[in-house]
Amino acid sequence: MDDALNSSRNGGGGGGASGGPYGGGGHYGSQSRDQFQNRRGGQQNFHPNNNPHRGGGGRGGGRGYRGGGVGGGRYPYRRHGDNYNPNHNAPHRSHPSQRRPQGPANRFGQNSTSSVNPKTAVLKQLSAMVAKMGDWAGVGTGMALSSSTSTSASAPADRKEALASISQNTSDLVAVLGGEKNASLFLAFDSTSTSTSTSTSTSEQEADAAGPLATLLSSCAATLPLQTPSYAALGLGVHVQSSLLPGYDGFCQRLVNITAARFWTDLDRTLGATTTDTDTQITSRSNHNKDNATMVEAHLRCKLLLRYMALLTRAGIILPQASESDPQDEEQEKSNDMSFTAFLKLLVAAAVASENRNSNSTHHYANGSVLLASLVLHTLPYTLTILSKDVLLSLLHDIETNILANYSSRFTPGTGMQAFLLQDEQAEDAVVDMDEDEEEDDDDDDDDDEEEMQGSPCADTLQDLLRTVKSLVNHAHTGTGASDSSSSTVTGTRFALLSDAPWTTLEDKVATAAAAATESNDTMEDTKQFIAFTGEPLRISLSDSCLSIPHLLSQGKNVTDDDPMVASGTDAGDVTTLLCPSLDGIVFGRLAIFDPPPEEGDDDDDDEDVPKNENMESYVQTFTLVDRYFLADAVRDCLVCHKPSVTDTGVERGGARLVAEQIWSIAQLLDPPSSSSSSSSSNDGSFYKGVEYGIVEALLALMLQSNTAGHRHSLSHVYVSRILLELTRHQPTLVPQALVVAVANLFQVLPSLTPAARDNASTWLAFHLTNTEYQWPKGYWDHWTPYVTKGLGLGNDNHMKRNSRGEFVTRAFQAMMMYMSDVTVLVTDCLPPSSPLSRYLLLRNNTSDTTTTKGLGTVAQESLDAVENDLKVRIWKTNENPDDVRGYMVGDEVSESVASHLEDDQTNDSTRMSDAIWWRTGAVMRALLAPSQHEYRRIQKQIEKASAKDDDNMDNPNAQDAMDEDGVGAASETEDGLVDTMSMIKRYRPVLLATLARDWQVHEENLDLRGESKPDAQDMMQMGEAYILVQVELIAGYSRVALQSVLECLLKEKLVSTMTVLKWALGESYTNTTVVTTTTQWWVITSQALRVGIQKHLADATDLAPEGLSGADGGSGGLGMIIDGGGDGVAGDGSLFSRRVKSVMECTRPLVQYATRRVVALLQSQPGRLNNNSKKMTPMEVDLVEGLKQFVMAAQSHVAAALETKNHDDTASIGGTTHDVLIQLQEGEVHTLLKHSKISGSQLATNFLP
């Protein structure tokens, strides 16, 4: 995100003393006062090799992580199973060189042999030093908290020691940076440069006007979320120190100016501020957002800069509130020279104006109002001691009444488009022989327990933030609120970042010396003076380069007077618009995995005999909802700010281990509970106990909602999974146990999660077990077994039983098999010995029938098998020419050998997917999928061998024969059979097309002979394509990777169409059957098909070349008309990009509309629920409703991606002059327009009305 953040990521480090199965957790070298003092001699002392923050190489190694006991009383399993080895992980040793800074990854990035500029080298070292100053990971990485040990020897005894260490380092750094000898290097600034700029980012002029140190401090404050108070103290200290030097006073003024300039720049990026010259139609974007992640980072920087300014206000640097009785103050407020109170009121006023514009114009400003309101809400907790009660309540009232009163969360359970919780848990087939206590979980009278499990009616983090801020304000000014729990502190929360003020401990040595000179020796102890800002408090200015705020408040030249004029782009002069992107990556859904603090009068007698997990109990009882919010918010901030990246030269900045260390250091920001809390929480360091449960809870909630279609933020599923894995390595005695307990709790609420969230959980568990050598308590596997063996499969009434918990386990198995070549590891290392689950490692998709043909008689089937085996030899053994194979399949030889036996098999049942119709096509497709058949048999044999108890049965001489009974052995393919399959599909594509046409022709001839009417040609072609898909699912459905890879190949080769895939996945091909079934995870398959379909549509389009244009593109307004369904004659109809937009929408709209109609029809046809008004939805209904949400979001995302790929240059004739018009829709713009299009979820929702 920033140079300062890069310096933090690449800082030195070594192996920590706390060992783990993956090596020690390295922490930064300690910084001594003497080392700082030695640098006061001048800049020549700042040699890169003298960096005091280079850590040593601590020892690594340690025991493998243990799967912990489950605590809490509901899951009384043993800590370890019979086959569970706590030392199973092979220890690794860290080396001192492991953490050294990495060099360029290729020869193009190698440093030249020319000399390095000494000033540049010193400033680079300064960046590293300042970035590490106040880093809690550096003072607390040795912390290892457990029920038996409070802290390790290398960790501070408590926060006071850590604060004292940081304060001392700050004081020493102030002396160096603000000293006379270094002033010319660190404090130099250009007094002739303007502090404001018309550019769209923090310009070089602004940096020159502020100086290198002020610029660096604002950069660090914007990118390092846990160190903000330290940078406020450093800024004040340097100001006091430098004020004594001629020509260097006014440091805080320059610091405030550069901080405000950065804030306005990032605010425009966050809101997507855009200016368009209505004369030339040239659009310039101040945000330069490449993707949603860029906007998320800009919003986070705004949040942290606001926090920094709030702390500067607390330090007395910025004016808190102007005097109402002073006319001069009032004039300054009107001239945009604002106090901090006026600054916050300006943001709230802009948010209200954005909300009003959203309801009164064609532009969509709702997200803008929410983003601005969230920034203010994030800042208010840091202003409780500097703003009056009336001001705080007024700001809260305006936000809650005028903005969030109309806010509808997209995470509302059951109804939100991005919800990962159902409104009620789905109805499931009962699992017999389960304990009575667990059967009670499915009763309707447990609804209250589910609400308590969620802990709050808040559906997302924005609603939780509002509740938290209101609680803190009430607590600060009335002594009431949610923080009244006995575990809360005086400030209303244990999160100490709100109250930390390290500047109050910095000594003003000049003032102390002056005071000591006038005092006697007896009173010298009382003469110690602390730094303070002297002079008139500073104000915050609104930058002239800011576009968004003046636009929203109708100030300045950048605004038109009515929105329709803005939309049409006809007003003279510059027009500013806000293209607010989605809230993905800023607002997240909430999920409380652990219980909230118990209320008085709760009866725990039933759990008296159950062993307690002390750490989990500590988390439940001593962390209030307010504490949990701040903990989860800090985790999210660390994930975004410290996310690893790779430079253009291939150098990796940061890493998952650094992110894990930063997240774990949040524990150092917790104050102990109040003295009235439980005795287990004392000031010896044990007050950190239980923090691992809060961290795991926050990360698992993010993991469950990641990888959702359309959810394109930077916190991906892989990233969050890696951080959880690194945390288990970093704290092997704490985090694994918390994960085990969390998974146990999560397992019980699986019926309340959406299918996408369950799949995320399964994928994560597979990734985690694979990377921890499958260590998992045996008791959990035993507990999960009945949900698989008795909750899945064919029921007594011939219906497929569905069970979310069983599907969670089997999908985890399928995901684990993607990471390995030898699946026997699952049987021997993952599952307990003789576990029945080994029989369920390999499941077919959505069917228990593994036969590939139906409806054929014995003689016909034998003839077809012979043809199919002959095809396999021709394709895989002899690699015969496709033309010869095509002639063979459509010729008389094959027709006579098979078709002559089909006459007696033909029945009056005209099943659309009849094997008797498409037998040639089916035979070719099955022959092409031979490697998948062999792979399935190979895995089957591996599992059977590994599961066999008798060693004599381990080597079955008939195993290979079983695999090669069709005459084509595995030796005929390379090691990657899937690649071979796709290659052969491309090669023999003409054969498939020919057999489709021949089967279709013969069927029509038979219909003519019987005097029956012929189906529509398009329907008939889709029948044949759907038959191909059925064969693919039956053969390759055992592997998600194989199924999706073959499907994508068929789509790219135009052997099947996107609409056919959609109809097949939604059961359209089985309309004549008794029970309609959809393909497992149909939304995943159809989303993939839609993406490929859009790409192929654009690639094959011939009408998207530039043509003669009669006028300019209509800008955002014209594109909006197109996407809203505008027909011919719209303003932008002639431009290349407008035609591209229209073409993509015409391709996508029928698919989304069909999916909606089909889902509605299936829901109406479902027995039981709609007629009986049952409270719980069936698994089929859940798949349909939630799958449609995923498909709609995926459609929007794919359309956006198709329109964002490249810049499209059009030449338009405007007023007789030719101009190059850059026409490009970015992600935020596309999503804004899509919200009101015909593929919008809100528009599609109307189809569900009766």
Side-chain angles (χ1 to χ4, degrees):
M1 291 172 61
D2 198 276
D3 290 340
L5 180 56
N6 293 336
S7 298
S8 173
R9 287 169 172 169
N10 291 330
S18 177
Y22 309 92
H27 52 277
Y28 298 94
S30 60
Q31 177 72 47
S32 70
R33 177 184 177 90
D34 292 338
Q35 286 172 312
F36 275 116
Q37 297 295 338
N38 291 336
R39 296 174 182 269
R40 296 183 178 179
Q43 74 178 53
Q44 64 271 18
N45 290 330
F46 284 89
H47 192 277
N49 293 332
N50 292 333
N51 188 351
H53 290 278
R54 293 178 63 200
R59 63 181 179 88
R63 296 164 63 98
Y65 93 73
R66 305 174 180 87
V70 298
R74 295 184 64 185
Y75 316 103
Y77 304 127
R78 292 179 297 168
R79 182 171 184 137
H80 306 303
D82 294 338
N83 69 328
Y84 186 79
N85 182 6
N87 297 320
H88 195 63
N89 280 331
H92 298 280
R93 294 286 178 183
S94 61
H95 191 272
S97 63
Q98 284 183 333
R99 299 295 299 276
R100 65 173 182 262
Q102 300 180 20
N106 57 56
R107 61 186 179 90
F108 299 102
Q110 293 290 343
N111 296 330
S112 63
T113 58
S114 60
S115 61
V116 179
N117 188 337
K119 182 177 179 180
T120 303
V122 172
L123 292 178
K124 184 176 181 180
Q125 185 181 355
L126 171 67
S127 298
M129 292 174 58
V130 174
K132 296 311 301 178
M133 193 273 298
D135 185 5
W136 291 98
V139 298
T141 51
M143 181 174 51
L145 309 171
S146 65
S147 58
S148 59
T149 59
S150 58
T151 58
S152 71
S154 62
D158 52 28
R159 286 197 76 247
K160 291 183 179 180
E161 282 194 16
L163 286 171
S165 175
I166 291 177
S167 178
Q168 183 62 58
N169 287 347
T170 305
S171 178
D172 292 337
L173 195 56
V174 165
V176 174
L177 300 179
E180 182 177 359
K181 292 184 178 181
N182 296 320
S184 61
L185 180 62
F186 301 139
L187 304 180
F189 64 96
D190 186 356
S191 59
T192 63
S193 296
T194 177
S195 61
T196 59
S197 173
T198 58
S199 65
T200 58
S201 63
T202 304
S203 66
E204 293 183 2
Q205 287 182 327
E206 292 167 338
D208 292 340
L213 183 57
T215 302
L216 178 60
L217 279 180
S218 64
S219 176
C220 289
T223 53
L224 300 173
L226 306 184
Q227 300 162 234
T228 318
S230 297
Y231 296 128
L234 184 59
L236 179 57
V238 171
H239 172 83
V240 173
Q241 185 88 1
S242 63
S243 62
L244 304 176
L245 305 177
Y248 296 105
D249 58 340
F251 178 81
C252 276
Q253 181 66 69
R254 298 190 294 275
L255 177 60
V256 171
N257 288 344
I258 188 66
T259 301
R262 284 180 178 273
F263 173 80
W264 298 123
T265 299
D266 280 325
L267 185 64
D268 282 348
R269 288 173 175 166
T270 300
L271 299 178
T274 303
T275 57
T276 302
D277 190 315
T278 56
D279 293 331
T280 63
Q281 290 295 305
I282 295 180
T283 298
S284 63
R285 292 173 174 82
S286 65
N287 55 332
H288 298 295
N289 286 345
K290 297 180 180 179
D291 49 30
N292 180 259
T294 306
M295 184 274 298
V296 170
E297 292 173 357
H299 179 271
L300 182 53
R301 289 194 297 268
C302 286
K303 168 185 168 181
L304 297 180
L305 287 170
L306 272 174
R307 178 190 300 178
Y308 188 50
M309 287 188 277
L311 295 181
L312 292 178
T313 305
R314 281 174 48 193
I317 298 173
I318 297 177
L319 180 66
Q321 187 171 357
S323 174
E324 298 179 359
S325 59
D326 191 341
Q328 184 177 0
D329 283 348
E330 185 176 353
E331 287 298 322
Q332 285 182 303
E333 295 284 313
K334 291 181 179 179
S335 65
N336 294 332
D337 213 10
M338 301 167 287
S339 65
F340 193 69
T341 298
F343 177 52
L344 293 180
K345 288 183 177 180
L346 177 72
L347 295 179
V348 173
V352 174
S354 181
E355 183 68 20
N356 293 336
R357 282 178 176 267
N358 177 65
S359 58
N360 298 327
S361 72
T362 58
H363 286 279
H364 320 305
Y365 284 71
N367 284 347
S369 63
V370 171
L371 291 171
L372 287 167
S374 68
L375 288 174
V376 176
L377 288 175
H378 279 296
T379 308
L380 290 182
Y382 296 86
T383 66
L384 298 178
T385 60
I386 56 177
L387 300 185
S388 65
K389 173 184 176 183
D390 292 339
V391 170
L392 291 170
L393 293 179
S394 175
L395 293 172
L396 276 175
H397 178 268
D398 290 343
I399 291 174
E400 188 173 13
T401 304
N402 299 322
I403 301 173
L404 298 185
N406 300 322
Y407 173 73
S408 177
S409 175
R410 290 173 66 85
F411 295 94
T412 302
T415 59
M417 283 294 290
Q418 290 179 294
F420 58 95
L421 281 170
L422 303 176
Q423 193 167 13
D424 293 292
E425 67 176 28
Q426 72 178 25
E428 299 190 333
D429 292 299
V431 179
V432 296
D433 298 335
M434 297 299 295
D435 294 338
E436 294 181 0
D437 293 340
E438 295 177 8
E439 283 293 337
E440 291 176 359
D441 290 340
D442 296 329
D443 296 340
D444 291 337
D445 59 357
D446 275 359
D447 292 342
D448 294 337
D449 293 338
E450 294 174 12
E451 294 177 0
E452 182 181 356
M453 191 70 177
Q454 295 177 6
S456 169
C458 299
D460 61 35
T461 55
L462 179 62
Q463 296 171 336
D464 197 11
L465 172 62
L466 177 63
R467 180 189 63 180
T468 298
V469 174
K470 291 170 63 176
S471 173
L472 290 177
V473 171
N474 291 335
H475 182 86
H477 294 283
T478 65
T480 62
S483 59
D484 288 339
S485 169
S486 60
S487 63
S488 66
T489 62
V490 177
T491 60
T493 176
R494 296 177 57 191
F495 191 66
L497 198 63
L498 304 181
S499 57
D500 278 350
W503 58 85
T504 60
T505 62
L506 295 183
E507 181 184 0
D508 187 341
K509 296 181 180 180
V510 175
T512 299
T518 61
E519 299 291 340
S520 63
N521 293 335
D522 296 336
T523 60
M524 287 190 63
E525 291 294 333
D526 299 330
T527 61
K528 189 174 183 179
Q529 303 293 313
F530 297 96
I531 63 170
F533 184 79
T534 56
E536 186 177 353
L538 307 176
R539 295 171 181 266
I540 303 170
S541 298
L542 177 62
S543 174
D544 292 339
S545 63
C546 180
L547 301 175
S548 53
I549 297 299
H551 168 66
L552 291 173
L553 299 178
S554 299
Q555 298 177 8
K557 66 177 181 179
N558 294 326
V559 190
T560 57
D561 292 332
D562 58 46
D563 286 317
M565 190 172 295
V566 174
S568 61
T570 58
D571 186 51
D574 290 344
V575 176
T576 297
T577 57
L578 300 186
L579 301 169
C580 302
S582 66
L583 299 177
D584 292 346
I586 296 176
V587 177
F588 295 90
R590 289 187 65 254
L591 177 67
I593 298 176
F594 303 104
D595 293 336
E599 298 179 359
E600 294 184 3
D602 285 351
D603 187 8
D604 295 334
D605 293 341
D606 295 339
D607 298 334
E608 288 181 355
D609 297 333
V610 179
K612 297 291 185 180
N613 184 319
E614 293 184 6
N615 284 34
M616 187 183 72
E617 290 295 317
S618 177
Y619 176 72
V620 169
Q621 295 180 13
T622 64
F623 283 75
T624 66
L625 294 178
V626 174
D627 299 333
R628 298 184 191 190
Y629 169 78
F630 282 115
L631 177 58
D633 188 57
V635 169
R636 292 189 292 268
D637 289 348
C638 288
L639 287 172
V640 175
C641 287
H642 296 281
K643 184 176 182 180
S645 61
V646 179
T647 66
D648 294 338
T649 57
V651 178
E652 183 179 5
R653 298 187 184 276
R657 182 173 182 175
L658 172 63
V659 180
E661 290 174 355
Q662 289 293 326
I663 290 176
W664 186 252
S665 69
I666 297 173
Q668 291 279 30
L669 298 175
L670 295 173
D671 281 329
S674 62
S675 57
S676 59
S677 62
S678 62
S679 59
S680 62
S681 297
S682 60
N683 291 334
D684 61 355
S686 61
F687 53 79
Y688 298 117
K689 183 182 296 185
V691 68
E692 67 272 17
Y693 288 85
I695 293 174
V696 166
E697 185 176 49
L699 290 172
L700 286 180
L702 292 174
M703 177 272 298
L704 289 174
Q705 57 195 292
S706 61
N707 283 7
T708 302
H711 206 121
R712 304 175 66 185
H713 59 78
S714 58
L715 303 185
S716 66
H717 188 279
V718 173
Y719 178 42
V720 177
S721 299
R722 287 181 61 199
I723 302 307
L724 277 167
L725 180 63
E726 285 297 329
L727 280 169
T728 63
R729 297 169 175 173
H730 186 58
Q731 293 295 326
T733 62
L734 295 177
V735 174
Q737 185 178 21
L739 275 175
V740 168
V741 178
V743 171
N745 289 352
L746 197 61
F747 187 80
Q748 298 305 316
V749 299
L750 283 174
S752 299
L753 297 181
T754 62
R758 297 175 206 149
D759 189 58
N760 282 339
S762 298
T763 305
W764 165 77
L765 182 62
F767 172 85
H768 193 78
L769 291 180
T770 303
N771 285 278
T772 54
E773 300 191 9
Y774 310 101
Q775 298 187 67
W776 200 251
K778 176 179 180 297
Y780 282 70
W781 292 119
D782 294 340
H783 174 62
W784 295 351
T785 297
Y787 291 100
V788 177
T789 59
K790 300 178 181 179
L792 301 177
L794 193 64
N796 295 330
D797 52 355
N798 292 325
H799 86 281
M800 295 299 297
K801 293 189 292 184
R802 296 285 302 275
N803 184 282
S804 61
R805 298 180 180 99
E807 291 172 354
F808 162 78
V809 177
T810 55
R811 286 176 184 168
F813 291 154
Q814 293 175 353
M816 278 189 280
M817 285 193 292
M818 293 191 302
Y819 302 126
M820 61 184 64
S821 59
D822 184 6
V823 297
T824 59
V825 176
L826 288 179
V827 180
T828 58
D829 295 353
C830 181
L831 296 178
S834 305
S835 173
L837 291 175
S838 61
R839 300 194 303 270
Y840 295 84
L841 295 178
L842 197 59
L843 293 176
R844 292 283 187 176
N845 263 3
N846 201 34
T847 179
S848 60
D849 182 11
T850 58
T851 59
T852 53
T853 55
K854 300 175 293 183
L856 300 182
T858 303
V859 178
Q861 184 65 59
E862 291 176 352
S863 301
L864 186 58
D865 290 342
V867 172
E868 185 176 327
N869 289 332
D870 189 20
L871 268 176
K872 291 178 181 179
V873 173
R874 290 170 179 262
I875 293 174
W876 296 104
K877 286 286 189 181
T878 62
N879 195 20
E880 194 168 318
N881 188 288
D883 292 337
D884 296 337
V885 176
R886 178 176 56 187
Y888 168 72
M889 287 303 300
V890 300
D892 296 337
E893 179 184 355
V894 171
S895 298
E896 292 176 359
S897 64
V898 179
S900 59
H901 302 291
L902 293 178
E903 184 176 356
D904 295 336
D905 298 327
Q906 185 70 45
T907 65
N908 294 328
D909 180 16
S910 299
T911 303
R912 301 177 66 183
M913 298 298 297
S914 174
D915 293 290
I917 298 176
W918 306 102
W919 60 269
R920 295 178 182 84
T921 303
V924 174
M925 194 67 239
R926 288 190 294 273
L928 290 172
L929 294 175
S932 294
Q933 291 176 319
H934 297 152
E935 180 68 9
Y936 178 80
R937 295 169 186 167
R938 183 186 69 82
I939 295 175
Q940 257 188 335
K941 293 299 180 182
Q942 284 184 347
I943 295 174
E944 291 174 0
K945 289 182 178 181
S947 302
K949 296 181 180 180
D950 190 353
D951 292 340
D952 294 337
N953 296 330
M954 292 295 289
D955 297 324
N956 183 2
N958 298 322
Q960 186 64 32
D961 295 337
M963 296 173 59
D964 300 338
E965 59 186 5
D966 53 12
V968 183
S972 61
E973 304 104 28
T974 65
E975 292 183 358
D976 195 338
L978 186 57
V979 173
D980 293 335
T981 298
M982 292 186 291
S983 176
M984 288 302 183
I985 289 176
K986 296 176 183 179
R987 174 174 169 80
Y988 291 96
R989 175 178 179 270
V991 179
L992 271 174
L993 293 176
T995 53
L996 274 171
R998 180 59 175 162
D999 287 338
W1000 181 2
Q1001 177 187 0
V1002 172
H1003 181 61
E1004 285 188 331
E1005 293 173 355
N1006 291 335
L1007 291 178
D1008 289 338
L1009 292 175
R1010 293 195 294 266
E1012 299 179 9
S1013 60
K1014 299 179 182 179
D1016 180 77
Q1018 183 176 1
D1019 289 343
M1020 195 65 189
M1021 180 58 63
Q1022 289 181 350
M1023 296 177 200
E1025 294 175 358
Y1027 186 77
I1028 292 177
L1029 295 174
V1030 171
Q1031 305 307 306
V1032 173
E1033 182 187 26
L1034 290 173
I1035 296 174
Y1038 71 93
S1039 168
R1040 182 186 303 182
V1041 173
L1043 178 64
Q1044 295 181 1
S1045 299
V1046 173
L1047 175 61
E1048 182 166 347
C1049 181
L1050 293 173
L1051 285 164
K1052 289 182 176 180
E1053 295 299 318
K1054 297 183 179 180
L1055 290 167
V1056 297
S1057 66
T1058 304
M1059 180 61 78
T1060 300
V1061 174
L1062 193 57
K1063 289 185 175 183
W1064 159 72
L1066 286 172
E1068 182 78 20
S1069 304
Y1070 298 95
T1071 51
N1072 287 344
T1073 60
T1074 306
V1075 179
V1076 177
T1077 59
T1078 61
T1079 303
T1080 302
Q1081 294 184 310
W1082 67 269
W1083 55 92
V1084 177
I1085 294 174
T1086 54
S1087 171
Q1088 176 193 25
L1090 179 60
R1091 173 181 57 80
V1092 177
I1094 293 176
Q1095 293 174 351
K1096 294 293 292 183
H1097 175 79
L1098 291 176
D1100 298 339
T1102 59
D1103 59 342
L1104 297 182
E1107 299 175 356
L1109 304 178
S1110 59
D1113 183 82
S1116 297
L1119 295 176
M1121 296 176 64
I1122 294 173
I1123 292 186
D1124 286 336
D1128 297 334
V1130 295
D1133 211 28
S1135 73
L1136 170 61
F1137 190 70
S1138 296
R1139 294 198 305 274
R1140 184 182 179 92
V1141 173
K1142 188 174 182 179
S1143 178
V1144 170
M1145 295 303 298
E1146 289 177 348
C1147 170
T1148 307
R1149 187 184 302 118
L1151 300 170
V1152 179
Q1153 290 175 342
Y1154 168 79
T1156 306
R1157 290 194 299 267
R1158 178 62 178 168
V1159 167
V1160 172
L1162 290 176
L1163 287 173
Q1164 293 174 344
S1165 67
Q1166 291 297 300
R1169 174 176 162 78
L1170 296 180
N1171 297 331
N1172 300 334
N1173 295 320
S1174 174
K1175 186 175 182 179
K1176 296 182 179 180
M1177 298 176 67
T1178 64
M1180 177 72 165
E1181 290 171 328
V1182 170
D1183 284 350
L1184 290 172
V1185 174
E1186 297 300 326
L1188 182 61
K1189 293 180 186 178
Q1190 295 294 313
F1191 181 72
V1192 169
M1193 289 190 293
Q1196 297 178 4
S1197 180
H1198 295 329
V1199 169
L1203 300 179
E1204 293 162 11
T1205 52
K1206 296 179 180 179
N1207 295 347
H1208 303 278
D1209 292 331
D1210 249 343
T1211 301
S1213 177
I1214 307 175
T1217 305
T1218 300
H1219 298 271
D1220 289 335
V1221 183
L1222 177 64
I1223 304 172
Q1224 177 190 11
L1225 256 67
Q1226 294 181 344
E1227 176 178 358
E1229 302 173 68
V1230 174
H1231 280 290
T1232 300
L1233 296 175
L1234 288 175
K1235 287 180 181 178
H1236 294 265
S1237 71
K1238 290 187 178 181
I1239 67 169
S1240 167
S1242 59
Q1243 297 294 322
L1244 293 172
T1246 59
N1247 293 320
F1248 288 93
L1249 299 177

